[in-house]
Amino acid sequence: MPHKALNRIVVRMLFDPEFQESVYANPRKIMNPLGIPDDLQDSLLQNDRRAWNIDSQRRKRSLQGL
């Protein structure tokens, strides 16, 4: 199910800046093995990279919730 794999990628991109950079650098290498269609990959990459890091308190708030 590509939507579940895409969801995992999005969450990891929110919390792992190195992974985020690797997705933008070579998205097909990361997402093709997971069965994510090219159109969904393209949609994900249309987001401005800065949007992934706009919330500087995300990690702290996430840990508090857990």
Side-chain angles (χ1 to χ4, degrees):
M1 293 190 202
H3 63 282
K4 288 186 179 184
L6 185 62
N7 187 42
R8 289 182 184 144
I9 287 175
V10 167
V11 170
R12 187 167 173 195
M13 287 177 75
L14 285 169
F15 291 94
D16 186 348
E18 290 177 16
F19 179 72
Q20 179 190 123
E21 288 300 317
S22 67
V23 169
Y24 276 96
N26 197 348
R28 304 294 188 239
K29 179 181 176 185
I30 293 171
M31 293 190 262
N32 281 349
L34 299 173
I36 298 172
D38 290 346
D39 61 329
L40 289 179
Q41 294 180 35
D42 295 340
S43 294
L44 177 67
L45 297 174
Q46 287 177 358
N47 293 312
D48 186 339
R49 290 181 184 205
R50 296 173 295 179
W52 297 102
N53 302 313
I54 200 154
D55 183 0
S56 63
Q57 299 296 312
R58 180 183 298 121
R59 287 179 185 228
K60 182 178 179 180
R61 288 185 296 100
S62 297
L63 290 174
Q64 287 175 345
L66 294 174

